[in-house]
Amino acid sequence: MTILAPAPEDTAPAQAPQAAFRPARRTPLHSPGFCLALGAVAVVALAAVAPGLLAHQDPLEIHLAESFDAPSLQHPFGTDQSGRDVYSRVVHGAGQSLVIGLGATAIGLLGALALGLAGGLGGRFADVAVTRVIEVLYAFPGILLALILIAVYGNSAMTQMVAVGVASMPGYARMVRGQVLSVKGSLYVEAARSLGHSPLRILLRTILPNTFRPLTVLITLGIGQAIVWAAALGFLGMGVQPPTAEWGAMLNAGRNYIQMAWWMDFFPGITIVLFTLSLTVIGRHLQRATDSGAAR
């Protein structure tokens, strides 16, 4: 009788299951949209700092014989009613528009810091007073408040900058006040007080940095809004006056010739739209990066 031996067991060690390949998670700041928007802002910044590198023609040089020339190789954006190169004026106008946008944002932010810190640190009476001031400023649409200030103090780049800055102040002030009220009751501020730090040191080293950090995204978006408001004032003829190259003033000059020379309004307008859109994209990606960093 034949006895069959059991089949030999497989003594080879079992292989551990291989982990599935997981691609590296792309952060919001590495997305193509963010890089493209950052590149567009960099080009505008280069045009503001060194316009001669991008445009070689004088933006104020008049050639009446070349008036209303359509876009061509010699004039990529065409010419205006005085024969001036529109491309050169758009490039040189970047500096004027960017200075107004940055200056207005800085003015609005400084005023908002003063109001927000006074309301957040000054006690109940100061908080109520600051809240009422913010509500009064909010009662006026931003562009209307800027128009009132320009009507009172006249047309100039500085007046336009101050007017847009004051108009943007309520939004910053409300966020600063909320952040100060949130930060001053935190544990690390209480710890700084228990260590005997002076109120000024606590303000400069603890409260202000933690108050200013969430404003980064709002500031990025605010620069674009300030440029749009400045262009709107220039379009209404209450901003920088011609022949200065400024995007809003160029829109104002081209609206009378929109049917015969569409390029006079199209190229400054599309530049404003693309630049503002780029700043918005950067601001949104910074917000997502901040949120994802906080979630970790």
Side-chain angles (χ1 to χ4, degrees), residues 22 25-26 37 79 94 132 193 204 229 274 284 296:
R22 295 181 180 179
R25 185 178 180 181
R26 178 178 293 175
T79 61
R132 296 297 175 266
R193 290 197 184 101
L204 297 179
W229 283 359
L274 292 178
R284 297 304 182 191
R296 294 173 188 173

Side-chain angles (χ1 to χ4, degrees), residues 181-274:
L181 290 174
S182 175
V183 169
K184 77 173 185 178
S186 59
L187 294 177
Y188 49 84
V189 173
E190 295 295 334
R193 290 197 184 101
S194 65
L195 292 174
H197 294 170
S198 65
L200 181 60
R201 181 177 179 180
I202 294 175
L203 174 64
L204 297 179
R205 300 288 298 274
T206 306
I207 295 179
L208 273 183
N210 289 280
T211 300
F212 193 82
R213 191 176 295 114
L215 286 174
T216 306
V217 177
L218 190 61
I219 291 172
T220 306
L221 301 176
I223 294 174
Q225 183 185 49
I227 290 176
V228 170
W229 283 359
L233 293 174
F235 178 76
L236 296 175
M238 303 191 70
V240 178
Q241 299 300 306
T244 304
E246 193 267 335
W247 293 340
M250 293 176 65
L251 291 175
N252 183 36
R255 64 190 177 97
N256 297 322
Y257 310 101
I258 189 66
Q259 294 183 349
M260 60 184 299
W262 55 268
W263 52 87
M264 290 179 59
D265 271 342
F266 175 78
F267 289 109
I270 197 65
T271 303
I272 295 172
V273 171
L274 292 178

Side-chain angles (χ1 to χ4, degrees), residues 70-150:
S72 60
L73 293 178
Q74 184 179 0
H75 302 288
F77 291 179
T79 61
D80 62 5
Q81 72 277 12
S82 300
R84 295 171 296 199
D85 185 65
V86 175
Y87 170 75
S88 180
R89 291 180 61 78
V90 169
V91 171
H92 284 78
Q96 189 76 26
S97 298
L98 198 58
V99 166
I100 293 175
L102 293 174
T105 304
I107 292 172
L109 186 60
L110 290 176
L113 284 174
L115 287 175
L117 291 175
L121 301 175
R124 181 175 179 80
F125 178 77
D127 188 24
V128 172
V130 168
T131 302
R132 296 297 175 266
V133 171
I134 295 175
E135 290 176 353
V136 170
L137 292 176
Y138 260 125
F140 294 91
I143 191 67
L144 177 60
L145 184 59
L147 286 172
I148 293 174
L149 293 175
I150 290 179

